[in-house]
Amino acid sequence: FNEALEKLQIAVQIKEEILGRIHSQVATSLNNLGMVLRSRKEHDAALAMFIEATEISEKCQGEQHPATAVNMFNWAVQLNHLNRLEESLPLFVKATKILEQRLGPIHPNVCDAHSSLGNTYRELGEMELSATHLAKSIAGSLQYVDRELPTMSEADRLTLLRVAASPYSFFESLLAYPESDLGAAFSLYAQWKGKATRLQKASLSLARKNQTPEFLKQKADLRRIGTELANLLFIPQSEQAEDHDEQIQELRSARLRLEREINLALDFSDTLSTPDFAAIQQALPDDTVLVDFFAGKEVYGWVVKKHGPPILLYFGMPDKLRAAQDLFLHQRTSRGGRNFDTNGESEEMKIGELLWEPLRPHVEGAKKILVCPDGFLCELPLGILPQGEGGFLLENFQFVYLSDPSQVVQPSSTLAQNRAGDVVVIGDVNYFRRAQQGEESKPNPAQSTRSRVGDSWSSLEGTREELRSIQDLHKYVLEWETKFDRVDGKEATEERVREMLPSHRYIHIATHGYFEPDSLPSLLEDAMQRQATAQITEQVRAVGSLPGLLSGLVFAGVNGESDPNRDDGYLSAEEIQHLDLSACDLAVLSACETALGSKRAGEGLMSLRRAFEVAGAKSVLSSLWKVDDQSTAQLMKDFYTNLWEKKMSRGVALHQAKLRTLRRNRIENAGNAMPSTWGAFVLSGEWN
């Protein structure tokens, strides 16, 4: 800052000598000088620069020039820094009006101006005016990002949405709004929530329809680069080549560049519209309630029912909620639901008091709750929250999870009366050996393999019975004539699984899953914080750009010797999303932590569950923590019996399977329901 200040002061002096005091370039330099002084917290000096820049710009460019308005806007912002809000307000109003007239409502400068004006009105207690301008800011930003996002890579989309159109400031003003006027606000929010996920799904779906040789080559290159990146990412430092960082940097850049090129060739015109509040409300049955969470600097929640306006709730600061949730989940998962000896019950009830009690009056009478979680709340299955004496919410409500509110509006379920279809089940994996590569298999050109994510992977004997139960149900009870493929043992290689997943209506995978939130920073925010103190490694950049690299499924041979000509046995979420799973009605990920991933505001978790949905699966059954092998096998048997033989919907089939496990646990374990054995599994996607 010292160096910048010195150079800017010299620039102002030279420009004044050559161009004269009243010149647009002098005004620009003075504005830049004010920005540096603001960063140095020399607020009075910065204010003087912005005032002078505005006066010069007015004289040489006119009062209605956008440059004049920008200087005036910075003047107003500086007054806010000095807590002189009454003085800043007329300047904000004037600058916003000029910018909107000259640049249009969706220009980023105009959206910033409306946001600052809205925040100023909020600080002055004018909540209705505040909400009006914040709504204009969000609406304009959403139109802007709709124009820019389609041709971007997924990483670029996530970055832009992180800094543009966030509804955080909107919520505080809306809390003072009459409930009857909140429908339009919810419609704006619904456009923002899950936008990157919807676009990624649309991108991949549109790309599959283009079968030209050039386009097919681009898509093949994209998948190959993603696999090579995944293979390089977790190599231990002792085994890394000298140019390891350079290899990752080259692949990451090539991956993002190729994705942009592919998206530029696609037509997104029919994919950007989002259902509004009226359409979402109309799609809800009478006995169903939608609950949508926003977990940013503060936590808010929307409640939408079949009738009446949407309801906006405030849950407080995230730190308190997160601490209560972590303690609660630790007790439920590490001790089978039993309380700790000291203060256990009072502590574990906190999350219910903080999260469920505000919701409870608004969901009474409902049978089904559609939940759109966000941030850390994605890790909490609401069904395991306590209710009454030893009871659980699962016993009163059926929960289904959605990525965003737009998923409420869906065509009729693809699981019609005829439920038969091709099935592939994968499990009983031999983690020590893999089958020899057949002549028809293509070697993977990657030159190195990932290290193990954790210790040596242990065999899952329960998955053998799990697969056998599904196979018996398919063959002897249902007597379906549709194809049933079983991939197990050393045949369950990553290459074989990648080949088998497309074209099946039902996919069942029973293996280890992994999510490594601590092995590398998985958020761009983490990387940006590290930038202030240390150089960001290419590994951090890669994971920040492609967070799907952090989660995946484990297949045959991962404990054995590595083979540079074979896939390494780890199938990451990044790789899965580029498979064509458009034929899949239901993917069951009977593995640990398949619903976990890195957090992105408004996008939930960048997880395996999301990868399967983006790849085209209509619905996904996944887990939130490490699950007992034998309990999972029994729960899955009950689920498929309910779904296929009893013809229950997917949500009801899972709900009844959980209830049966809960009741069986109480009988066999002296009244202990052991929610750790059934609470982890959540259904997402198609719900009706």
Side-chain angles (χ1 to χ4, degrees), residues 78-79 116 261 313 318 324 418 420 481 530 563 569 619 653:
Q78 194 58 36
L79 286 171
S116 295
E261 291 174 4
L313 302 174
N418 179 15
E481 296 181 0
R530 287 169 176 258
D563 182 345
S619 58

Side-chain angles (χ1 to χ4, degrees), residues 314-328:
Y314 175 65
F315 292 95
M317 303 302 290
D319 290 349
K320 187 176 182 181
L321 275 166
R322 181 63 194 256
Q325 174 180 296
D326 286 350
L327 176 62
F328 172 76

Side-chain angles (χ1 to χ4, degrees), residues 322 325-326 329 375-381 596 599 605 624:
R322 181 63 194 256
Q325 174 180 296
D326 286 350
L329 287 175
F376 65 91
L377 292 174
C378 294
E379 301 169 8
L380 176 68
L596 292 183
K599 304 171 187 64
L605 299 179
L624 287 163

Side-chain angles (χ1 to χ4, degrees), residues 473-512:
L473 179 64
H474 180 274
K475 183 176 181 179
Y476 298 114
V477 179
L478 302 171
E479 297 182 335
W480 284 355
E481 296 181 0
T482 55
K483 184 170 62 174
F484 187 97
D485 290 312
R486 175 169 175 159
V487 184
D488 56 11
K490 63 182 182 180
E491 300 292 334
T493 62
E494 181 185 348
E495 298 101 323
R496 180 66 172 153
V497 170
R498 196 197 308 274
E499 174 190 338
M500 294 297 295
L501 290 185
S503 78
H504 288 84
R505 186 178 187 184
Y506 300 101
I507 296 171
H508 184 95
I509 303 176
T511 184
H512 287 291

Side-chain angles (χ1 to χ4, degrees), residues 524-586:
L524 288 175
E525 287 85 349
D526 295 341
M528 291 172 69
Q529 291 172 5
R530 287 169 176 258
Q531 192 171 23
T533 57
Q535 181 181 359
I536 301 178
T537 68
E538 285 303 323
Q539 286 181 304
V540 172
R541 293 185 196 277
V543 175
S545 300
L546 305 167
L549 293 170
L550 284 183
S551 55
L553 295 167
V554 185
F555 294 109
V558 292
N559 293 339
E561 293 295 324
S562 62
D563 182 345
N565 295 316
R566 299 289 300 273
D567 283 325
D568 57 8
Y570 294 101
L571 186 61
S572 72
E574 166 64 21
E575 297 169 272
I576 288 168
Q577 70 170 330
H578 291 285
L579 299 175
D580 182 1
L581 303 184
S582 55
C584 177
D585 275 330
L586 173 66

Side-chain angles (χ1 to χ4, degrees), residues 308-540:
I311 299 163
L312 180 63
L313 302 174
Y314 175 65
F315 292 95
M317 303 302 290
D319 290 349
K320 187 176 182 181
L321 275 166
R322 181 63 194 256
Q325 174 180 296
D326 286 350
L327 176 62
F328 172 76
L329 287 175
H330 176 66
Q331 293 190 37
R332 287 298 186 202
T333 59
S334 66
R335 296 175 61 85
R338 298 182 179 88
N339 296 325
F340 289 117
D341 294 335
T342 58
N343 299 323
E345 189 163 351
S346 61
E347 288 296 318
E348 76 164 15
M349 290 296 289
K350 280 186 179 179
I351 188 62
E353 294 171 0
L354 295 172
L355 192 68
W356 182 253
E357 282 305 307
L359 282 171
R360 185 178 52 78
H362 304 292
V363 299
E364 287 182 349
K367 294 181 180 178
K368 183 184 297 181
I369 300 179
L370 307 179
V371 185
C372 297
D374 192 35
F376 65 91
L377 292 174
C378 294
E379 301 169 8
L380 176 68
L382 295 181
I384 69 170
L385 291 179
Q387 178 166 299
E389 292 297 324
F392 299 89
L393 292 183
L394 179 80
E395 296 175 274
N396 296 93
F397 303 98
Q398 175 194 334
F399 293 95
V400 178
Y401 292 81
L402 309 178
S403 299
D404 65 83
S406 71
Q407 288 191 306
V408 173
V409 182
Q410 296 177 342
S412 298
S413 175
T414 53
L415 277 187
Q417 290 301 312
N418 179 15
R419 300 187 174 228
D422 292 349
V423 181
V424 58
V425 295
I426 301 161
D428 191 20
V429 177
N430 185 337
Y431 301 108
F432 296 88
R433 293 186 180 182
R434 72 186 85 194
Q436 293 297 314
Q437 201 167 20
E439 292 182 1
E440 73 284 354
S441 301
K442 297 180 180 179
N444 178 12
Q447 295 301 307
S448 52
T449 59
R450 250 177 299 171
S451 65
R452 299 181 183 113
V453 186
D455 297 327
S456 176
W457 298 100
S458 59
S459 298
L460 297 174
E461 294 183 4
T463 64
R464 187 180 308 134
E465 173 63 22
E466 188 174 327
L467 267 56
R468 189 191 64 78
S469 296
I470 299 171
Q471 190 168 8
D472 287 350
L473 179 64
H474 180 274
K475 183 176 181 179
Y476 298 114
V477 179
L478 302 171
E479 297 182 335
W480 284 355
E481 296 181 0
T482 55
K483 184 170 62 174
F484 187 97
D485 290 312
R486 175 169 175 159
V487 184
D488 56 11
K490 63 182 182 180
E491 300 292 334
T493 62
E494 181 185 348
E495 298 101 323
R496 180 66 172 153
V497 170
R498 196 197 308 274
E499 174 190 338
M500 294 297 295
L501 290 185
S503 78
H504 288 84
R505 186 178 187 184
Y506 300 101
I507 296 171
H508 184 95
I509 303 176
T511 184
H512 287 291
Y514 67 87
F515 169 58
E516 290 295 302
D518 299 323
S519 61
L520 283 172
S522 55
L523 294 176
L524 288 175
E525 287 85 349
D526 295 341
M528 291 172 69
Q529 291 172 5
R530 287 169 176 258
Q531 192 171 23
T533 57
Q535 181 181 359
I536 301 178
T537 68
E538 285 303 323
Q539 286 181 304
V540 172

Side-chain angles (χ1 to χ4, degrees), residues 150-151 199 202-203 205-207 209-210 215 262-272:
T151 58
L199 270 174
S203 296
S205 177
L206 290 169
K209 297 175 183 177
N210 190 329
F215 207 77
I262 289 174
N263 288 338
L264 276 168
L266 302 176
D267 180 8
F268 287 85
S269 56
D270 296 329
T271 65
L272 295 175

